[in-house]
Amino acid sequence: MLIKIINPNTTQSMTKSIEKAAKKYAGKDTEIIAVNPVMGPDSIETYYDEYLSVPGVLEEIIKGDREERVDAFVIACFNDPGLYAARELTSKPVIGIAEAAITTAKFIAPCFSVVTVLNRSKHITKEIIRKYNAQDYCASVRATNLSVLDFDRCPEKGLEALAEESRKAVEQDGAECILLGCAGFVNFVEDLQKTLGVPVLDGVSPAVKFAEILVDMGCRTSKILTYGFPEKKQIIGFSDILKKLWD
Amino acid sequence: MLIKIINPNTTQSMTKSIEKAAKKYAGKDTEIIAVNPVMGPDSIETYYDEYLSVPGVLEEIIKGDREERVDAFVIACFNDPGLYAARELTSKPVIGIAEAAITTAKFIAPCFSVVTVLNRSKHITKEIIRKYNAQDYCASVRATNLSVLDFDRCPEKGLEALAEESRKAVEQDGAECILLGCAGFVNFVEDLQKTLGVPVLDGVSPAVKFAEILVDMGCRTSKILTYGFPEKKQIIGFSDILKKLWD
Amino acid sequence: MLIKIINPNTTQSMTKSIEKAAKKYAGKDTEIIAVNPVMGPDSIETYYDEYLSVPGVLEEIIKGDREERVDAFVIACFNDPGLYAARELTSKPVIGIAEAAITTAKFIAPCFSVVTVLNRSKHITKEIIRKYNAQDYCASVRATNLSVLDFDRCPEKGLEALAEESRKAVEQDGAECILLGCAGFVNFVEDLQKTLGVPVLDGVSPAVKFAEILVDMGCRTSKILTYGFPEKKQIIGFSDILKKLWD
Amino acid sequence: MLIKIINPNTTQSMTKSIEKAAKKYAGKDTEIIAVNPVMGPDSIETYYDEYLSVPGVLEEIIKGDREERVDAFVIACFNDPGLYAARELTSKPVIGIAEAAITTAKFIAPCFSVVTVLNRSKHITKEIIRKYNAQDYCASVRATNLSVLDFDRCPEKGLEALAEESRKAVEQDGAECILLGCAGFVNFVEDLQKTLGVPVLDGVSPAVKFAEILVDMGCRTSKILTYGFPEKKQIIGFSDILKKLWD
Amino acid sequence: MLIKIINPNTTQSMTKSIEKAAKKYAGKDTEIIAVNPVMGPDSIETYYDEYLSVPGVLEEIIKGDREERVDAFVIACFNDPGLYAARELTSKPVIGIAEAAITTAKFIAPCFSVVTVLNRSKHITKEIIRKYNAQDYCASVRATNLSVLDFDRCPEKGLEALAEESRKAVEQDGAECILLGCAGFVNFVEDLQKTLGVPVLDGVSPAVKFAEILVDMGCRTSKILTYGFPEKKQIIGFSDILKKLWD
Amino acid sequence: MLIKIINPNTTQSMTKSIEKAAKKYAGKDTEIIAVNPVMGPDSIETYYDEYLSVPGVLEEIIKGDREERVDAFVIACFNDPGLYAARELTSKPVIGIAEAAITTAKFIAPCFSVVTVLNRSKHITKEIIRKYNAQDYCASVRATNLSVLDFDRCPEKGLEALAEESRKAVEQDGAECILLGCAGFVNFVEDLQKTLGVPVLDGVSPAVKFAEILVDMGCRTSKILTYGFPEKKQIIGFSDILKKLWD
């Protein structure tokens, strides 16, 4: 089985970390390819970043579906950018890491907190939780106010800040599980898990596993209406890849 | 890996069907044991039935956790009877088939309908959907008004009624995925899938797969507060098994 | 009129306290019998405890309905264990003390807080408030983190802790009414009421009064569908009482 | 105990019907006085009517509280006009018939429908159900599209239309209890109950009983903040009664 | 175009302030008349005040519609007293300042806080936010606990208290926009805006602008059902103005 | 004042229609420029289309903000594509036509229905209504199942289908206002309004007016946190325009 992980930003080092996390629990028979788009921002912290990442993500979905014989897709950014559009472009399962993390948390804890990067991303994170109707399970959304780049430059400081906010989420907000609200945090899961005493989840590993089992069960996206393939139309100014949809 | 499926009712033929469905997509390394409690009703269609099934379910959880080296549990009735209590009794993952079916549907369709047995069960089914905050994804709950026993006696008639209500759910209510709201329907999945043109899901197969991947990832139920092991207390009038919790 | 109060746990001293509270405001023509099941846990603080208490509660419902000429029932634990199942087993009104307390609070205050026993019970209490769609009226759920047993052993300390948390609910959370989230707290109502300056409600007294007036008005549980008597089926491994349902 | 029923409209024949319904189940020791304001509309079917009825209702609350030694109040119109204001003006319990009917329905049925007068009142009724967070319990709101006056002129036709809409609510909408959404319908309860096979509730009788038991239990409106007595201020252009509040 | 602003309380100095705020951004072709009723309370801080203000407000609506050739109306109190009734009485647009402020905030910020007068008004303000389904956009409701009169007597102290609570709303509650929850605060907008760093909105200016554009676009209140003109009925004890509705 | 209307699709004839609708009620001092992006799909009916339209929309926002001295923006597609991202890119007001239509409807009617193009777009439309928390005001979403192109090719047939679905929305679903759920429907407003008897709203006209008044009042998007300008980062593979943000 071939699962394609799409890191929606264009930072290859992050793609590598995500790939590593994706492989960690992947099945023996699962092949993982992790890519990032050739267009888009180098990190995703705003709505602007999110929207600019989507065309590149969708290109990778189409390529994966038409050329690469991919069996399932994972979109590896906590905003799940372009998820519903991706489901239109292929009948193969597509999983977002925010929905994967939230889903997993609900299986093992009565409530969770999300710890994210910048303060400005807190509202965006709350929106996605509300979009998935999970607000009743959410104890709080907290931010370290360090950027993705800050984490890259100084992982120790990043880990410390994550641990601090996670601890507050548990002690002050009553969180019984911590979700890491950025795909760039996958390297911190184990260290955090050790000190916190509650499950700590990134979304990448669960998303891969959900993708695997949907393939195993032969589940495909419902094509009857909302997620049906888009009708052919003229698209201007993007690469030809996006038009391959109708080839 | 050992996964224990608990059919909460005492009808062994149904336990067999469930076991078969559970094995259908189970991994190579997964061993499935399917049991039913030694106490409780022979089918679950009312709140009464549901509550009488729970002590037996919890016995099986405790036995599985203490004596049988079980790695994860599935509770195989669409009411998910005793699910949160089960999570208190073990740190191994416990999955209910209603939550498994709903979770899977959300991965592959924008909305679903549930088709269930008796008319009287419709409200109970709506309650569980509301409990999981999934009402915004639910196009309708429909019933065949045949009992579990009716389905057993005359599966052809049952299948026909299920197909009819499922078709109405798709055409009149806008359902883009059908969930079978009774563990006894696992044998009908494939026939329905063929004729309906939308994904048809029972909860048993996905629940097994969710259990597998939680084990694969080393996920355990958060024990920090709500789902912590119950404090020791005196229990009267049940079997000794329920007291093993504190041995 | 005969009202049967069922204390779902097996601690007789608590049954006595509850009986006293039940009688406090009962009408002249109301006879109260307070019982506890012969099976189940000696206190209810977890989902596990709650589910183990239900079969015994339902036995008492059936006995009351078939043998004791009971006119209405009260289930006297703040989790309202087995309430909807009880409504299936009799057409006589059945009231839970959580719904009774919440209902009363809404008549006299714009919002309330619930003060409960263990921290681990807070989430369970929040769930029942959400189940009754009363979260918009709920200022907070607070816990003393003393067990039911602690309260029994040292009532003074218990009262002090209750007063402290209630005071915080009023001053910090904006509660305008306090609900005591455990049937074991009935003895503390008056002391708390004096010092807090807001109404303090246990659920037992209001539940008895609601039961009385439903009987007075000839109101019976709607038997048309969801709460209809369960269809006869085979039940294994419980006492014969639970099968009396169909005699 | 003295309970004052305020019919918010100025139609005395309706006040008489309401009084009769109020006395039907009132306790032996309960004295009922039923009044209507000396100002306001002769029936309430619009927001306009509702607001014009409130000052007169509040006059009757103040008179009852200051001069008449009333123990509790009932506002007998399904819009519960002025209910929260009334709670500010007295510490005696004040109950609205919509909240009383909805509360009673929740004790005996999993869901209800409301049958009301004009089509134009349906949205107003939906709003009050939403205000009380009871929409999840509401199967439908239906209207006969007869006015209050039509019912007065031709009760047979009114009863027939009510029966027809109630029947549809049960059969098509799944209602398991019928609430009569107008205080003028109190005379139809028994006839409807006979033919429908589900409980039929007007709000007047339950409101009286709720008032009685709040008095019995010594419950008073929480005066700590929101429902505290209004601070004295200058009021122009109303009768002196409304200013008695500060005498 | 003629827009009539109705200050629902009877304090003329406040009417003057409101008029000034209304004119601040009014179009060149817009004529503003600001009035207050001849009946009602001199400030609105409770449900009691609110209800007593409505008949006078509705008189002004009717006069405006029938005699003054008004093109649109604004009800200038943050409770929007009588808004839906006013929409029944005229087909000209009627805007409340709470809905205007909330609407404007949603156009320019992801979430807002409301700062109001007395602590006791906080719950009333929360209710109106919930009524408009805006609770997901509301970071907090805060109060200065100064009365309308206090603000009048000592505006400097009032401004200071408003600034303090607004600052806390931004820093502690995460508000990204401040709404002034009292029409009497219109004079403070600019001073607050300077110091806070987030948009500060009173509802009066936006309400006037919304009224203007609805007139510009020829939008009129839908008269098909709920907001249709009230059917003629007898009204006792109010001024003749209220009956002009049917002349 | 200069308002820039961005038609997110690349069909210039639709841009012309939208421009005409935008100018219809624009103020004397308002200059309208209507554009469409140079990249993206020629119509928007799916999530795929929506996401591909956003980069071009954002280019136009940036150009408008940096080079064209635009005072406010309107995004003229009922999905409001990229709205929150656009608010990050400029401090000038940005209005979407879905939010404008819904907002206007709430000022003049208690509930509305949306009539849209393809059946497959119904769920997308429901999602945007839920995103804005307006589901309680929404009577139904209906579709003609004609594509944007069909409407272009045969407007008469389109009008007929719109009229038919709108009529059903009013008569069967209780809609008291009709929203046209596609910017391409602006030409049909007047014809529909005449026959339906309820207000018919496109979102373009109101969006322009909302934009105008926000400019008039000096309202700017709150830049304190969520909608702050994006931090500079590297963007690959898009035009230079999208990087102008940081020039």
Side-chain angles (χ1 to χ4, degrees):
Chain A
M1 172 187 336
L2 178 58
I3 295 179
K4 182 174 186 175
I5 320 287
I6 304 165
N7 167 22
N9 70 41
T10 52
T11 299
Q12 294 184 340
S13 62
M14 204 182 295
T15 310
K16 288 289 170 219
S17 298
I18 290 169
E19 184 176 20
K20 199 177 134 205
K23 286 181 170 164
K24 189 170 170 191
Y25 296 114
K28 289 191 287 263
D29 303 333
T30 303
E31 185 186 350
I32 300 285
I33 49 174
V35 302
N36 50 258
V38 295
M39 64 199 294
D42 59 0
S43 70
I44 299 179
E45 293 161 330
T46 63
Y47 288 112
Y48 181 60
D49 302 338
E50 183 184 337
Y51 278 107
L52 290 192
S53 75
V54 175
V57 169
L58 300 181
E59 281 189 359
E60 295 298 332
I61 297 284
I62 294 171
K63 281 201 293 184
D65 189 63
R66 304 302 143 90
E67 301 170 7
E68 299 165 350
R69 310 184 55 159
V70 166
D71 293 295
F73 297 87
V74 168
I75 299 176
C77 164
F78 208 82
N79 295 353
D80 294 354
L83 180 63
Y84 295 159
R87 285 185 181 149
E88 294 172 337
L89 302 182
T90 174
S91 60
K92 316 290 172 52
V94 190
I95 306 288
I97 66 168
E99 66 172 3
I102 291 168
T103 297
T104 308
K106 285 158 78 174
F107 283 140
I108 59 173
C111 62
F112 60 82
S113 286
V114 182
V115 185
T116 186
V117 279
L118 299 178
N119 284 345
R120 69 174 298 161
S121 311
K122 282 170 67 173
H123 187 82
I124 299 181
T125 300
K126 282 180 194 165
E127 276 285 294
I128 203 158
I129 290 166
R130 194 166 78 80
K131 180 179 175 183
Y132 293 148
N133 270 323
Q135 61 270 43
D136 283 344
Y137 299 89
C138 180
S140 61
V141 174
R142 285 182 167 269
T144 59
N145 215 16
L146 299 172
S147 72
V148 174
L149 215 66
D150 292 334
F151 274 92
D152 207 46
R153 263 194 304 253
C154 187
E156 296 75 16
K157 196 177 152 198
L159 175 59
E160 203 177 312
L162 276 177
E164 174 69 7
E165 291 302 320
S166 298
R167 203 184 47 73
K168 284 185 191 164
V170 172
E171 291 174 10
Q172 294 174 22
D173 310 333
E176 305 192 27
C177 182
I178 296 294
L179 304 192
L180 300 183
C182 173
F185 293 171
V186 286
N187 296 328
F188 301 122
V189 174
E190 281 168 41
D191 282 331
L192 287 168
Q193 178 99 37
K194 269 178 219 149
T195 60
L196 282 173
V198 299
V200 177
L201 299 172
D202 75 285
V204 176
S205 306
V208 169
K209 299 306 284 180
F210 288 134
E212 282 184 350
I213 66 178
L214 290 171
V215 173
D216 282 345
M217 293 188 289
C219 285
R220 295 175 152 247
T221 295
S222 177
K223 284 292 168 186
I224 197 172
L225 196 63
T226 306
Y227 292 151
F229 289 101
E231 284 70 27
K232 178 156 189 171
K233 57 187 59 174
Q234 206 186 349
I235 293 174
I236 301 172
F238 280 101
S239 73
D240 283 347
I241 297 166
L242 291 171
K243 293 153 206 164
K244 283 208 183 150
L245 185 56
W246 299 290
D247 290 349
Chain B
M1 171 187 337
L2 179 57
I3 294 180
K4 182 174 187 175
I5 320 287
I6 305 165
N7 167 22
N9 71 41
T10 52
T11 299
Q12 294 183 341
S13 61
M14 204 182 291
T15 310
K16 288 289 169 218
S17 298
I18 290 168
E19 184 175 19
K20 199 177 135 206
K23 285 180 169 166
K24 188 169 170 191
Y25 297 114
K28 290 191 287 266
D29 304 333
T30 302
E31 185 186 350
I32 299 285
I33 49 173
V35 302
N36 50 260
V38 295
M39 64 200 293
D42 59 0
S43 70
I44 298 179
E45 292 163 329
T46 64
Y47 287 112
Y48 181 61
D49 301 339
E50 182 183 338
Y51 278 108
L52 290 193
S53 76
V54 174
V57 169
L58 300 181
E59 281 190 0
E60 295 298 332
I61 297 285
I62 293 171
K63 280 202 293 182
D65 190 63
R66 304 302 143 88
E67 300 171 9
E68 299 165 348
R69 310 184 55 159
V70 166
D71 294 295
F73 298 87
V74 169
I75 299 176
C77 165
F78 208 82
N79 296 352
D80 294 355
L83 180 63
Y84 295 159
R87 284 185 182 149
E88 294 173 337
L89 301 182
T90 174
S91 60
K92 315 291 171 51
V94 190
I95 306 289
I97 66 167
E99 67 172 3
I102 291 168
T103 297
T104 307
K106 286 158 76 174
F107 283 141
I108 59 173
C111 63
F112 59 82
S113 286
V114 182
V115 185
T116 186
V117 279
L118 299 178
N119 284 345
R120 69 174 299 162
S121 311
K122 282 170 67 173
H123 187 82
I124 299 181
T125 300
K126 282 181 194 165
E127 275 286 293
I128 203 159
I129 290 166
R130 193 167 78 80
K131 181 179 174 183
Y132 294 147
N133 269 324
Q135 60 269 43
D136 284 344
Y137 299 90
C138 181
S140 61
V141 174
R142 285 182 168 268
T144 59
N145 214 17
L146 299 172
S147 72
V148 173
L149 215 65
D150 292 333
F151 274 92
D152 207 46
R153 263 194 304 252
C154 188
E156 295 76 17
K157 196 177 150 199
L159 176 58
E160 203 178 311
L162 275 177
E164 174 68 7
E165 290 303 319
S166 299
R167 202 183 47 71
K168 285 186 191 162
V170 172
E171 291 175 9
Q172 295 174 21
D173 310 332
E176 305 193 26
C177 182
I178 296 295
L179 304 191
L180 300 182
C182 173
F185 294 171
V186 286
N187 296 327
F188 302 122
V189 175
E190 281 168 40
D191 282 331
L192 287 168
Q193 179 99 37
K194 271 178 215 147
T195 61
L196 282 173
V198 299
V200 176
L201 299 171
D202 74 286
V204 177
S205 305
V208 170
K209 300 306 287 180
F210 289 134
E212 281 185 351
I213 67 178
L214 290 171
V215 174
D216 282 346
M217 293 188 290
C219 285
R220 295 176 151 247
T221 295
S222 177
K223 285 290 168 188
I224 197 173
L225 197 63
T226 305
Y227 293 150
F229 289 101
E231 283 72 26
K232 178 157 188 172
K233 58 186 60 173
Q234 207 187 348
I235 293 175
I236 301 172
F238 281 102
S239 73
D240 283 347
I241 296 167
L242 291 171
K243 292 156 206 162
K244 281 205 186 156
L245 185 57
W246 300 290
D247 290 349
Chain C
M1 171 187 334
L2 178 59
I3 294 178
K4 182 174 187 175
I5 320 287
I6 304 165
N7 167 22
N9 71 40
T10 52
T11 299
Q12 295 184 339
S13 61
M14 205 182 295
T15 310
K16 287 290 169 218
S17 297
I18 290 168
E19 184 175 21
K20 200 176 135 205
K23 286 181 169 164
K24 190 169 170 190
Y25 297 113
K28 288 192 288 265
D29 303 334
T30 302
E31 185 185 350
I32 299 285
I33 49 173
V35 303
N36 50 259
V38 294
M39 63 200 293
D42 59 359
S43 70
I44 298 179
E45 292 162 330
T46 63
Y47 287 112
Y48 181 62
D49 301 340
E50 183 183 338
Y51 278 107
L52 291 192
S53 76
V54 174
V57 168
L58 300 181
E59 281 190 1
E60 295 298 331
I61 297 284
I62 294 171
K63 280 201 293 182
D65 190 63
R66 304 301 145 88
E67 301 171 7
E68 299 165 348
R69 310 185 56 159
V70 166
D71 294 295
F73 299 86
V74 169
I75 298 176
C77 166
F78 208 83
N79 296 352
D80 293 355
L83 180 62
Y84 295 160
R87 284 185 182 151
E88 294 173 337
L89 301 182
T90 173
S91 60
K92 316 290 172 54
V94 190
I95 306 288
I97 67 168
E99 67 172 2
I102 291 168
T103 297
T104 307
K106 285 158 76 174
F107 284 141
I108 60 174
C111 63
F112 60 81
S113 286
V114 181
V115 186
T116 186
V117 278
L118 299 178
N119 284 345
R120 68 174 298 161
S121 312
K122 282 171 68 173
H123 187 83
I124 299 180
T125 300
K126 281 180 195 165
E127 275 285 295
I128 203 158
I129 290 166
R130 193 166 79 80
K131 181 178 174 183
Y132 293 147
N133 268 325
Q135 61 270 41
D136 283 344
Y137 299 89
C138 181
S140 61
V141 174
R142 285 181 168 269
T144 58
N145 214 17
L146 300 172
S147 71
V148 174
L149 214 66
D150 292 333
F151 274 93
D152 207 46
R153 265 195 302 253
C154 188
E156 296 76 18
K157 196 177 152 199
L159 175 58
E160 204 176 311
L162 275 177
E164 174 68 6
E165 291 302 319
S166 300
R167 203 184 46 71
K168 285 185 191 163
V170 172
E171 291 174 9
Q172 295 173 22
D173 311 332
E176 305 193 28
C177 181
I178 296 295
L179 304 193
L180 300 182
C182 173
F185 293 171
V186 287
N187 297 327
F188 301 122
V189 175
E190 281 168 40
D191 282 330
L192 287 169
Q193 178 99 36
K194 271 179 216 147
T195 60
L196 281 173
V198 299
V200 177
L201 298 171
D202 74 286
V204 177
S205 306
V208 170
K209 300 306 286 180
F210 289 133
E212 282 184 351
I213 67 178
L214 290 171
V215 173
D216 282 346
M217 293 188 290
C219 285
R220 295 175 153 247
T221 296
S222 178
K223 285 290 167 186
I224 196 171
L225 197 64
T226 305
Y227 292 151
F229 289 101
E231 284 70 26
K232 177 156 188 172
K233 60 186 59 173
Q234 206 186 348
I235 293 175
I236 301 172
F238 281 100
S239 73
D240 284 347
I241 296 166
L242 290 171
K243 293 155 205 162
K244 280 206 186 155
L245 185 57
W246 300 290
D247 290 348
Chain D
M1 171 189 334
L2 180 57
I3 294 178
K4 182 175 187 175
I5 320 288
I6 304 165
N7 167 23
N9 71 41
T10 53
T11 299
Q12 294 183 341
S13 62
M14 203 181 294
T15 310
K16 287 290 170 219
S17 297
I18 290 169
E19 184 176 19
K20 199 177 135 206
K23 285 181 169 164
K24 189 170 169 189
Y25 296 114
K28 290 190 288 262
D29 303 334
T30 302
E31 186 185 349
I32 300 285
I33 50 173
V35 303
N36 49 259
V38 295
M39 63 199 295
D42 59 0
S43 71
I44 298 179
E45 293 162 329
T46 64
Y47 287 112
Y48 180 61
D49 302 338
E50 183 184 338
Y51 278 107
L52 291 192
S53 76
V54 174
V57 168
L58 300 181
E59 282 190 0
E60 295 298 332
I61 297 284
I62 294 171
K63 280 201 294 183
D65 190 63
R66 303 303 143 89
E67 300 170 8
E68 298 165 350
R69 310 185 56 159
V70 166
D71 294 294
F73 299 86
V74 168
I75 299 177
C77 165
F78 207 83
N79 297 351
D80 293 355
L83 180 62
Y84 295 159
R87 285 186 182 150
E88 294 172 339
L89 301 182
T90 173
S91 60
K92 315 291 171 54
V94 190
I95 306 288
I97 66 167
E99 67 172 4
I102 291 168
T103 297
T104 307
K106 286 158 76 174
F107 283 141
I108 60 172
C111 63
F112 59 81
S113 286
V114 182
V115 186
T116 185
V117 279
L118 299 178
N119 284 344
R120 70 174 298 162
S121 311
K122 282 170 67 174
H123 188 82
I124 300 181
T125 300
K126 282 180 195 164
E127 274 287 294
I128 203 158
I129 289 166
R130 194 167 76 82
K131 181 179 175 183
Y132 293 148
N133 270 323
Q135 61 270 42
D136 283 344
Y137 299 90
C138 182
S140 61
V141 174
R142 286 182 168 269
T144 59
N145 214 17
L146 300 172
S147 72
V148 173
L149 214 66
D150 292 334
F151 274 92
D152 207 46
R153 264 194 304 251
C154 187
E156 295 76 16
K157 197 178 150 197
L159 175 58
E160 204 177 310
L162 274 177
E164 173 69 6
E165 291 302 320
S166 300
R167 202 183 47 74
K168 285 185 191 163
V170 172
E171 291 175 9
Q172 295 173 22
D173 310 332
E176 305 193 26
C177 182
I178 296 295
L179 304 192
L180 301 182
C182 172
F185 293 171
V186 286
N187 297 328
F188 301 123
V189 175
E190 282 169 40
D191 282 330
L192 287 169
Q193 178 98 39
K194 270 178 216 148
T195 62
L196 282 174
V198 300
V200 177
L201 298 171
D202 74 286
V204 177
S205 305
V208 170
K209 300 306 287 181
F210 289 134
E212 281 184 352
I213 67 178
L214 291 171
V215 173
D216 282 345
M217 294 188 289
C219 286
R220 295 175 153 248
T221 295
S222 178
K223 285 291 169 187
I224 196 172
L225 197 63
T226 306
Y227 293 150
F229 289 101
E231 283 71 25
K232 178 158 189 172
K233 56 187 60 172
Q234 206 185 349
I235 292 174
I236 300 172
F238 281 100
S239 74
D240 284 347
I241 296 166
L242 290 172
K243 293 154 206 163
K244 281 206 184 151
L245 184 58
W246 299 290
D247 289 349
Chain E
M1 172 188 334
L2 178 59
I3 294 178
K4 181 174 188 175
I5 320 288
I6 305 166
N7 167 23
N9 71 41
T10 52
T11 299
Q12 294 184 339
S13 62
M14 204 182 294
T15 311
K16 287 290 170 218
S17 298
I18 289 169
E19 184 175 21
K20 200 176 134 207
K23 286 180 168 164
K24 190 171 170 190
Y25 296 114
K28 290 192 286 264
D29 303 334
T30 302
E31 185 185 349
I32 299 286
I33 50 174
V35 302
N36 50 258
V38 295
M39 64 199 294
D42 59 0
S43 70
I44 298 179
E45 292 162 329
T46 63
Y47 287 112
Y48 181 61
D49 301 338
E50 182 183 337
Y51 278 107
L52 291 191
S53 76
V54 174
V57 168
L58 299 181
E59 281 189 0
E60 295 298 332
I61 297 285
I62 294 170
K63 280 201 294 183
D65 190 63
R66 304 300 144 88
E67 300 171 6
E68 299 165 349
R69 308 184 57 158
V70 166
D71 293 295
F73 298 87
V74 168
I75 298 177
C77 165
F78 207 82
N79 296 351
D80 294 355
L83 180 62
Y84 295 159
R87 284 185 181 150
E88 294 172 337
L89 302 181
T90 173
S91 59
K92 315 290 173 52
V94 189
I95 306 288
I97 65 168
E99 66 173 3
I102 291 168
T103 297
T104 307
K106 285 158 77 173
F107 283 141
I108 59 173
C111 64
F112 60 81
S113 286
V114 182
V115 186
T116 185
V117 278
L118 298 179
N119 284 344
R120 69 174 298 161
S121 311
K122 282 171 66 173
H123 188 83
I124 299 180
T125 301
K126 282 180 194 166
E127 275 285 294
I128 203 157
I129 290 165
R130 193 166 78 82
K131 181 178 174 183
Y132 294 148
N133 269 324
Q135 61 270 43
D136 283 344
Y137 299 90
C138 181
S140 61
V141 174
R142 285 180 169 271
T144 59
N145 215 15
L146 299 172
S147 72
V148 174
L149 215 67
D150 292 334
F151 274 93
D152 207 46
R153 263 195 305 253
C154 187
E156 294 77 15
K157 196 177 150 199
L159 175 59
E160 203 176 311
L162 275 177
E164 174 68 6
E165 290 302 320
S166 299
R167 201 183 48 71
K168 285 185 190 162
V170 172
E171 291 174 9
Q172 295 173 21
D173 310 332
E176 305 192 28
C177 181
I178 296 294
L179 305 191
L180 300 182
C182 172
F185 293 171
V186 286
N187 297 327
F188 301 123
V189 176
E190 281 169 39
D191 282 331
L192 287 169
Q193 178 99 38
K194 269 179 217 148
T195 61
L196 281 173
V198 298
V200 176
L201 299 171
D202 74 285
V204 176
S205 306
V208 169
K209 301 305 287 180
F210 289 133
E212 282 184 352
I213 66 177
L214 290 172
V215 173
D216 283 346
M217 293 188 288
C219 285
R220 295 176 153 247
T221 295
S222 178
K223 285 291 170 187
I224 196 172
L225 197 63
T226 305
Y227 293 151
F229 288 102
E231 284 70 27
K232 177 156 191 172
K233 57 186 60 173
Q234 206 187 347
I235 293 174
I236 302 171
F238 281 101
S239 73
D240 284 347
I241 297 166
L242 290 172
K243 292 155 208 163
K244 280 204 186 154
L245 185 56
W246 299 291
D247 290 350
Chain F
M1 169 189 335
L2 178 58
I3 294 179
K4 182 174 188 175
I5 319 288
I6 304 166
N7 167 22
N9 71 41
T10 52
T11 299
Q12 294 184 341
S13 62
M14 204 183 294
T15 311
K16 287 289 169 218
S17 298
I18 290 169
E19 184 175 21
K20 199 176 134 205
K23 285 181 168 165
K24 189 170 170 190
Y25 297 114
K28 288 191 290 261
D29 304 334
T30 302
E31 184 186 350
I32 299 286
I33 48 172
V35 303
N36 50 258
V38 295
M39 63 199 295
D42 59 0
S43 70
I44 298 179
E45 291 162 330
T46 64
Y47 287 111
Y48 181 61
D49 301 339
E50 182 183 338
Y51 278 107
L52 291 192
S53 76
V54 173
V57 168
L58 300 181
E59 281 190 0
E60 295 298 331
I61 297 285
I62 293 170
K63 281 201 293 183
D65 190 63
R66 303 303 143 87
E67 300 170 7
E68 298 166 348
R69 310 184 55 159
V70 166
D71 293 295
F73 298 87
V74 168
I75 298 177
C77 165
F78 208 83
N79 297 351
D80 294 356
L83 179 62
Y84 295 160
R87 285 186 181 148
E88 294 173 338
L89 302 183
T90 173
S91 60
K92 316 291 172 51
V94 190
I95 306 289
I97 66 167
E99 67 173 2
I102 291 169
T103 297
T104 307
K106 285 158 77 174
F107 283 141
I108 59 174
C111 63
F112 59 82
S113 286
V114 182
V115 186
T116 186
V117 279
L118 299 178
N119 284 345
R120 70 174 297 160
S121 311
K122 282 170 67 173
H123 188 82
I124 300 181
T125 300
K126 282 181 194 165
E127 275 286 293
I128 203 159
I129 290 166
R130 194 167 77 82
K131 181 178 173 184
Y132 294 148
N133 269 325
Q135 60 270 43
D136 283 344
Y137 298 90
C138 181
S140 62
V141 174
R142 284 181 169 270
T144 59
N145 213 17
L146 299 172
S147 71
V148 173
L149 215 67
D150 292 333
F151 274 93
D152 207 46
R153 264 194 304 251
C154 188
E156 295 77 16
K157 194 177 152 199
L159 175 58
E160 204 177 309
L162 275 177
E164 174 68 6
E165 291 303 319
S166 299
R167 202 183 47 73
K168 284 185 192 162
V170 172
E171 291 174 9
Q172 294 174 23
D173 311 332
E176 305 194 27
C177 182
I178 296 294
L179 304 192
L180 299 182
C182 172
F185 293 170
V186 286
N187 296 328
F188 301 122
V189 175
E190 282 169 40
D191 282 330
L192 287 168
Q193 178 98 38
K194 271 178 215 147
T195 61
L196 282 174
V198 299
V200 177
L201 299 171
D202 74 285
V204 177
S205 305
V208 169
K209 300 306 286 181
F210 288 133
E212 283 184 352
I213 67 178
L214 290 171
V215 173
D216 282 346
M217 293 188 290
C219 285
R220 296 176 152 247
T221 295
S222 178
K223 285 290 170 188
I224 196 172
L225 197 63
T226 305
Y227 293 150
F229 288 101
E231 284 70 27
K232 177 157 189 171
K233 58 187 60 174
Q234 207 186 347
I235 293 175
I236 301 172
F238 281 101
S239 72
D240 283 348
I241 297 167
L242 290 172
K243 293 154 208 163
K244 281 206 184 155
L245 184 58
W246 299 291
D247 289 350

